[in-house]
């Protein structure tokens, strides 16, 4: 699913970059997400935060049924 229409950044791309970036600002620098019209900002940040939370605490993915857990498998 495309999250950022302005830069054609998908949900999967955000997940992949979230694992390599230290913070959301770095994700924006690397992908351009939420730097155009800004409408994708909340969704992009949500995906980023969810992936970062799972990567810090992998067990959280099992109990919460988080859809982004697949990206970390
Ligand atoms: S949709 Fe992402 S900046 Fe416009």
């Amino acid at each position: 699913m495309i999250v950022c229409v302005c830069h054609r950044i998908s949900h999967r791309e955000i997940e992949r970059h979230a694992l390599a970036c230290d913070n959301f600002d770095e994700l924006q620098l690397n992908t351009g997400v939420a730097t155009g019209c800004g409408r994708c900002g909340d969704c992009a940040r949500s995906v980023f935060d969810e992936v970062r939370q799972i990567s810090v605490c992998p067990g959280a993915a099992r109990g919460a049924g988080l859809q982004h857990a697949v990206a970390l498998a």
Side-chain angles (χ1 to χ4, degrees):
M1 174 181 89
I2 295 294
V3 171
C4 180
V5 174
C6 293
H7 298 286
R8 296 194 50 81
I9 303 298
S10 71
H11 174 270
R12 293 270 184 218
E13 288 173 276
I14 294 172
E15 287 178 334
R16 185 166 41 85
H17 282 280
L19 294 173
C21 295
D22 288 335
N23 52 52
F24 191 76
D25 289 344
E26 190 176 339
L27 175 78
Q28 289 182 291
L29 281 173
N30 291 340
T31 64
V33 72
T35 61
C37 71
R39 283 188 218 151
C40 64
D42 288 345
C43 182
R45 188 173 291 275
S46 175
V47 172
F48 178 83
D49 289 345
E50 193 169 343
V51 169
R52 298 294 295 188
Q53 182 179 3
I54 293 169
S55 68
V56 170
C57 183
R62 285 189 296 271
L66 299 173
Q67 60 183 324
H68 306 298
V70 174
L72 301 171

